Amino acid sequence: MRILKQLSALVLRREITTCQRTMCKKDCLFRIHPSVSQAMAENKPVVALESTIITHGMPYPHNLRTAKEVEAIVRAQGATPATVGVIGGEVHVGLSSEELDHLAQSKSSLKVSRRDLPYVISKGLSGGTTVSATMIAAHRGLDISADLTELGRTPIAVVSAGVKSILDIGRTLEFLETQGVCVATYGQSKNFPAFFSPQSGFRSACHVSNPEEAAKLIASSLSLGLQSGILLAVPIPEEHAASGQQIEDAIKVAVAEARAEGVMGKDVTPFILQKVSALTQGKSLQANIALIHNNAKVGSQIACALSKQMNDRGLKSQTSPKASKFPSNSDSNIVVIGGINVDFIAKGKTKALKFGQTNPGSVCQSFGGVGRNIADSLSRLGQKPLFISATGADSNSDAVLNYCKHMNASGVARLKEHSTATYCAVITESGELSLGLGDMDIHQQITEHYVSQFKTQLSSATLVCLDGNIPTSTINYVCCFAEKHNINVWYEPTDSEKACKPFLSDAWKSLSYSSPNLAELCTMNKTLGVKTPEVLPSTRDEMLSVAVALSRPLLEHLHCLVVTLGANGVLLCGEYDAGTVNLQPRKQKKKRQLCALHYPALAVTPEEIMNVSGAGDSLAGALMAGILLGKDTDSCVRMGLLAARTSLASPHPIAPMLTLDAVNPNEVHTQTWPKPSLVWID
C-alpha cells in the first residue's frame, strides 16, 4: 500500500504495498488513468494493484475475472483501483477494461521487476509488474528478491498473506530485520502466516488489530521520516485454512519437480502455481483467489483509514507543513506555486572552461527558483502575488526569506529536518550554462494537502501560476480545482524532463497558458503521443516551423502558448484577434481561428550577460503583469522582452531595478520595435 503524496494507495500482489513519495523525474514514462488522476486531485485513497497475478499468476480467464473482482472490492471499500502494468514500453498506472483484457490474454507478456523495467521500456514491450516495479510506478510507483530490498530502502508498507512456504521464512524475516523493516501481523496474535497456512512457526515483532491501528502504525513511520518499510502480514481467511495442509504437501511435490526439471529464476513461481493447481484439483487456485480478495479488502480499508487520518489532521513534521498565517484582507489576484532556491552562480573568465581543474572566475550568491522568480518579477511590477512554496528551517531559508521581504511569502512553509533547495550553475564567459547541480528534494513537500489550505486564495485568483518543480499530484489537484472554479492556470515547465507532468493525465486540458522552450514543447507533445523531431532544429526558420506545428495539438485546450526561442525571440501562439494574438484571460472555451506571432529577441552582447538563470522567468512574469494590467499584446510581449534583457545584465535572476517604468515600451526610447511576423495555424 503506497501513499501518493497525502493520498493512500495500495500495491497488491497477494500483498499490498504503501509508501510516501512523489512521482520521480522520469514521469514521462508513466501514463496515469484519468480516474486515478481525478482521485488523487480530490485527496481520495488510491489502491495500486500489481499485475503479475494477471500475466503469470493464474490462467485465462480466471486471471481476468480475478483482476476485475479485486478492482470491484477496492471500489466497494471506498478507494479507487489503479492496476499497474507495462504496455508498449509505457508504465500505466490504472488500466482500462480493454488493457486488462490485453494483459490477461497476452502470451508474450513479461514478468517485470525493478531490474527489468529499463529493458522492457526501451524495447517497447509489455508485461505484468511485480511488487517492486509497482512500487516504483506508485512511487511516482520473497526470497531475497527485488521486493525485499525495495522494502528495505523505500518507506512502504506491504500488506501480504505472509511469506511463501517454499522460502526460508526464518531467514527472510531475519533479512527484513537487518533492513530495518517493521513486521506486524494483522489480527489478534503475533503468529506470522505462511500464505496458505495461518501459522508458519515464526512470530512477528508486533500485531495490529484493525485498519485504524494499521494506519496509525504507517503514519507514525512516515512522521519519523524512516527510509525503510513495514510488512503487514494478513492470515488466510479461516474458511480456506482447512485446505492449507493439502496445498502445502502439493507445494513440496511441485518444488521437487521444479528442481528436477531445472526451472530457475522468475519461471519458478508460475511453474509451481500451475503444478500445485493440478495436484490439488483447483483448490489452490481457489485459496489463492481468496487470499487476493482478502488482501484487497484489508488493504483498501487501511488505505481509507490512513487517508482519513491524514486529511483530518495531516501528518505533522515533514510530510504536512503548516501554512503560515495569511492576511484575510489580502487583495492578491494571482497565486504562484513553485520552487524557491538559493543559487550560486560561477562565471568563468576564459573562453573555454577546463574540467578537472580550477578555472579563474567569479562566484556570487543569489536567490532563485522558478516560482520564486516569477513571484518576485510580478511583485516588482506592481502585482501582489501570493507565493506558495517550502524551505528548510535553516540559514539558507533565513537568507532567502529576508531577501524576499518585498513579496507576499506567507504561503512558504518552513520545515524542520529538511534543507532549503540549493542550485549551483557554472556558466561560460559568454553566459552559456556549462553545468548545473541542484538539491531540490524539498519541493516534493509542496503537496496537494498543503496547497489545499489556500483554497480561499485560489478560488478568488484571476490567475494561478504553477512551475514544474512541484509534484505531479499537486499540479493535478490545482488543475482540477481550477476547472471547477473557472480559474486560468499558467504552467511554466521549468525544464524538458518536468514539462510532461500535466500531460500525464487530462490535467493539461485545464491549463490556459504555458511558456515552454522548444525542447519542453517537444516533451509535452511526446507525452501526448504526438510525433516530434528526433533532433531539435538549429536555424530560425526551422525552429519557427517546428514550434508552430507542435503548438497546434496543445491549442485544442490551451488558450495561449508562449514559446521561448532564446536568441531567436518569442513565438506567441493562440487565438487570432484583430491582427494579433488574444492574450487576455478567456471566460469560456470556444471555436477560434489560430495564429502565431514571432517577436525577435532584443540584442544583448556577451559582455552584458551576468546571469542566465532568470531571463525566462522575468519574461513570463512581465507577460503576466501586462495581461493583468489589461495591456495589448504587443505591449505585454515587449514588457517581457525588456524584463528578460534586464535580468541577463543583473547578477540576480530577477533584477532588483526591475520596475514598471523600466519595462514600459513607451518609456524606452532607445529601443526600436520591429513589427512581429504573423503565421496562420490550420
Side-chain angles (χ1 to χ4, degrees), residues 88-291:
E90 291 184 332
V91 181
H92 288 244
V93 182
L95 297 177
S96 66
S97 180
E98 293 76 13
E99 289 165 340
L100 278 174
D101 190 67
H102 168 74
L103 282 183
Q105 296 197 59
S106 174
K107 302 297 184 183
S108 59
S109 291
L110 302 177
K111 185 176 182 181
V112 184
S113 184
R114 164 185 274 266
R115 70 173 187 181
D116 309 303
L117 277 173
Y119 173 77
V120 173
I121 289 172
S122 69
K123 292 293 186 179
L125 304 176
S126 300
T129 53
T130 65
V131 170
S132 64
T134 304
M135 291 189 308
I136 291 169
H139 214 236
R140 283 272 186 161
L142 278 140
D143 46 353
I144 296 185
S145 67
D147 299 340
L148 276 188
T149 51
E150 203 70 43
L151 257 175
R153 64 188 169 197
T154 311
I156 60 167
V158 174
V159 178
S160 118
V163 175
K164 302 174 187 132
S165 61
I166 61 174
L167 307 175
D168 189 327
I169 296 177
R171 289 186 65 186
T172 299
L173 293 175
E174 287 178 9
F175 181 82
L176 289 171
E177 183 178 359
T178 64
Q179 297 294 302
V181 178
C182 173
V183 178
T185 299
Y186 185 87
Q188 301 304 317
S189 77
K190 295 183 181 179
N191 292 329
F192 187 82
F195 266 59
F196 297 115
S197 173
Q199 298 187 28
S200 64
F202 296 90
R203 289 170 67 82
S204 300
C206 58
H207 73 96
V208 290
S209 302
N210 52 52
E212 288 71 29
E213 287 187 12
K216 288 179 181 178
L217 178 65
I218 297 167
S220 297
S221 178
L222 294 173
S223 294
L224 290 169
L226 302 178
Q227 294 306 304
S228 55
I230 297 172
L231 175 61
L232 295 168
V234 183
I236 187 173
E238 188 175 343
E239 61 270 24
H240 293 279
S243 60
Q245 188 56 52
Q246 179 186 357
I247 296 172
E248 292 295 334
D249 292 340
I251 288 174
K252 292 177 183 178
V253 174
V255 168
E257 289 191 22
R259 288 173 180 165
E261 295 184 24
V263 180
M264 300 176 65
K266 63 173 67 176
D267 297 326
V268 171
T269 297
F271 176 89
I272 290 176
L273 288 174
Q274 184 177 7
K275 184 63 65 175
V276 169
S277 180
L279 291 171
T280 61
Q281 297 180 331
K283 289 183 179 179
S284 66
L285 179 60
Q286 296 171 13
N288 200 19
I289 292 173
L291 288 177

Side-chain angles (χ1 to χ4, degrees), residues 34 342 438 533:
V342 176

Side-chain angles (χ1 to χ4, degrees), residues 332-337 385-388 457-458 461 463-466:
S332 295
N333 64 341
I334 181 169
V335 177
V336 180
I337 309 172
L386 167 65
F387 179 45
I388 300 174
Q457 291 79 18
L458 288 170
L463 182 66
V464 175
C465 176
L466 308 175

Side-chain angles (χ1 to χ4, degrees), residues 324 326 340 385-389 401 404-413 450:
S324 304
F326 185 78
I340 183 169
L386 167 65
F387 179 45
I388 300 174
S389 189
L401 291 177
C404 295
K405 283 183 177 179
H406 62 290
M407 299 163 48
N408 181 357
S410 60
V412 178
Y450 178 64

Side-chain angles (χ1 to χ4, degrees), residues 415-434:
L415 308 178
K416 295 180 179 179
E417 309 302 327
H418 284 276
S419 299
T420 299
T422 53
Y423 174 72
C424 178
V426 180
I427 62 177
T428 63
E429 183 184 32
S430 62
E432 293 299 316
L433 180 67
S434 179

